[in-house]
Amino acid sequence: MSVPTLLRLEAGEPGVSLGVLATALWLIGRDAALGALATPKEDRGALELDVRQAETLGKERVRATAQAKLKRATQRQSQKPDAARAHETEKPVQGS
């Protein structure tokens, strides 16, 4: 491993290969930590992404529910005058 690669590894640069990381961990006797790194419950980035996706999904569901309720209310309102007009035409005309 070259010195520049080691410096990049120590700096936490994401471009350093997993093989270099595994070799470095093996050299210092910490290669068992690789299993913990791959554990989903320890992957904070993935957990944060899951939370953001769940929040987005929740907001989309709330929006869709509100739109559906508005659509149903609009349909009911548009049906009321038609029903009232139909009822009015059934009434017998008084007079003459």
Side-chain angles (χ1 to χ4, degrees):
M1 176 183 318
S2 68
V3 173
T5 301
L6 180 59
L7 292 173
R8 288 192 349 260
L9 173 67
E10 290 175 343
E13 289 186 18
V16 176
S17 74
L18 186 57
V20 170
L21 174 61
T23 301
L25 289 172
W26 177 77
L27 286 171
I28 62 172
R30 299 288 310 260
D31 53 319
L34 283 174
L37 288 175
T39 305
K41 71 177 186 174
E42 298 296 328
D43 188 350
R44 298 210 186 275
L47 291 173
E48 289 174 9
L49 180 62
D50 287 347
V51 168
R52 277 188 247 121
Q53 288 174 340
E55 288 173 344
T56 301
L57 179 61
K59 289 176 184 177
E60 289 172 359
R61 287 182 176 175
V62 167
R63 191 177 310 114
T65 300
Q67 288 175 347
K69 286 181 180 179
L70 181 61
K71 183 178 178 181
R72 283 193 302 267
T74 303
Q75 287 174 346
R76 278 190 231 119
Q77 290 298 326
S78 67
Q79 290 172 356
K80 278 186 181 179
D82 292 341
R85 273 188 246 127
H87 182 63
E88 289 174 2
T89 57
E90 293 173 5
K91 292 181 184 177
V93 178
Q94 295 179 355
S96 5

